[in-house]
Amino acid sequence: MAVTMHDVAQRAGVSIKTVSNVVNGYPYIRAETKQRVETAIDDLGYRVNMSARNLRTRRTGLITLAVPELSLPYFAELADAVISAADAAGWTVLIEQTSASRERETEVLSGRRRHLTDGLIFSPLALGPDDLDLFTVDFPLVLLGERVFGAPADHVTMNNVAAARAATLHLASLGRRRIALIGAHEGERVGSAALRTAGYREGLEAAGLPFAPELVGEAGLWHRSTGAEAMSRMLDDGVEIDAVFALNDALALGALHALHAHRIDVPGDVALIGFDDVDDAKFSVPALSSVDPGRDQIAHTAVELLLERIGATGQGGANGAGDPAPFRKVVPDSRIVGRESTGDVGAGEPCRLVSTQAGGTEVVPVRAAV
């Protein structure tokens, strides 16, 4: 005979309503009560009837995460963190890879698959500030990244300018004076490349170093191969450098490969720092210094904001007050993680952590249907 919610309530010594609240993730439950219910669920082998619950709540229990490219370590690790955060709250994540295609990003917002899940966490790359009207949607949405600002949605972004400034100053503090940048996008006005390049220039100015155009290496997609190509072009052109700031870790690992191929000692001749602090950074030779932009905090905050919207709106409708809460922009803390590629630490020593700027939450005065 199937175990019922009534059986769980009797075993735990609580009401059926309390069991329902625990199963449905209601947050305001005493920890010891929740533990008793969860123990009873485990002991009895109770399984939630998802079909019945979904019919009752008009929710699927699924959310979508749409990212440009899972082959990039940053997005793979971000997806892992989002899945973990959602799973802890009892939700399942469906992954959409857009390949930075405008058509596929538009499909994520309005296509037929959109109705398969209760909300969307979206990191656009092809869409930009001219597409704000596409983000006025009738479902819970949280934006990630730096391509779209001011949309009617909650937004979790990074301290790109401040973090890039800190990375550049970190290299300058080591006595480096010819600091190259790898990964620039010529003509870009919005997006990670533009913001991190602006931070690089701010860092040079703060350190009293002149900006030199020959020290800026262009790269298209931020892959290891493009980082190696950009670094090799600069070295083959005979540009004098003593440090490199790569705009993500994939570029940095490619640049490291090119430096090794040119028999340049890192960090003896050239110090190197990346951005994202992906897991691979710890295992390169030498271990790669990087900016940790708060990836885990980004993932957990995005899930938290989305589930709040889902809870407040049901599946696309207004909350009980008929008026959604103001949209929020959240900027997590970032920090410099110093490793061997900048000469910060020896093998096996703990990383030196330098905070770049405090994060926080900003209430954005944008109102639209959620």
Side-chain angles (χ1 to χ4, degrees), residues 53-131:
R53 187 174 79 168
N54 292 345
L55 284 171
R56 185 173 65 254
T57 63
R58 293 191 299 170
R59 296 180 190 154
T60 67
L62 305 173
I63 60 175
T64 299
L65 170 67
V67 295
E69 192 173 357
L70 286 168
S71 63
L72 284 175
Y74 173 79
F75 288 114
E77 294 179 20
L78 175 71
D80 181 72
V82 167
I83 290 168
S84 295
D87 182 66
W91 289 72
T92 299
V93 181
L94 298 184
I95 306 293
E96 290 260 12
Q97 180 172 272
T98 63
S99 302
S101 159
R102 181 179 176 83
E103 180 180 357
R104 293 182 71 172
E105 290 189 355
T106 303
E107 175 79 8
V108 163
L109 288 169
S110 59
R112 53 189 172 83
R113 290 196 299 273
R114 160 77 282 285
H115 301 288
L116 298 176
T117 64
D118 297 317
L120 171 64
I121 298 172
F122 185 22
S123 179
L125 196 56
L127 299 178
D130 295 334
D131 301 304

Side-chain angles (χ1 to χ4, degrees), residues 228-251:
E229 290 163 6
M231 189 77 264
S232 292
R233 282 196 305 271
M234 192 176 293
L235 296 172
D236 291 342
D237 288 344
V239 177
E240 181 184 349
I241 64 172
D242 60 12
V244 176
F245 171 36
L247 297 188
N248 80 346
D249 284 348
L251 292 167

Side-chain angles (χ1 to χ4, degrees), residues 206-269:
L209 300 175
F211 172 76
E214 71 272 13
L215 291 175
V216 176
E218 300 282 334
L221 295 175
W222 284 355
H223 294 167
R224 295 173 184 85
S225 60
T226 55
E229 290 163 6
M231 189 77 264
S232 292
R233 282 196 305 271
M234 192 176 293
L235 296 172
D236 291 342
D237 288 344
V239 177
E240 181 184 349
I241 64 172
D242 60 12
V244 176
F245 171 36
L247 297 188
N248 80 346
D249 284 348
L251 292 167
L253 292 169
L256 181 62
H257 175 82
L259 290 164
H260 284 331
H262 284 75
R263 300 186 182 282
I264 294 173
D265 179 65
V266 178
D269 299 321

Side-chain angles (χ1 to χ4, degrees), residues 139-153:
F139 56 85
L141 169 67
V142 174
L143 284 174
L144 305 179
E146 295 75 46
R147 288 290 301 169
V148 177
F149 289 93

Side-chain angles (χ1 to χ4, degrees), residues 15-35:
S15 68
I16 293 176
K17 178 63 175 175
T18 298
V19 176
S20 176
N21 286 341
V22 171
V23 167
N24 288 288
Y26 185 72
Y28 305 112
I29 301 173
R30 291 172 59 190
E32 62 182 62
T33 302
K34 182 180 178 183
Q35 181 61 52

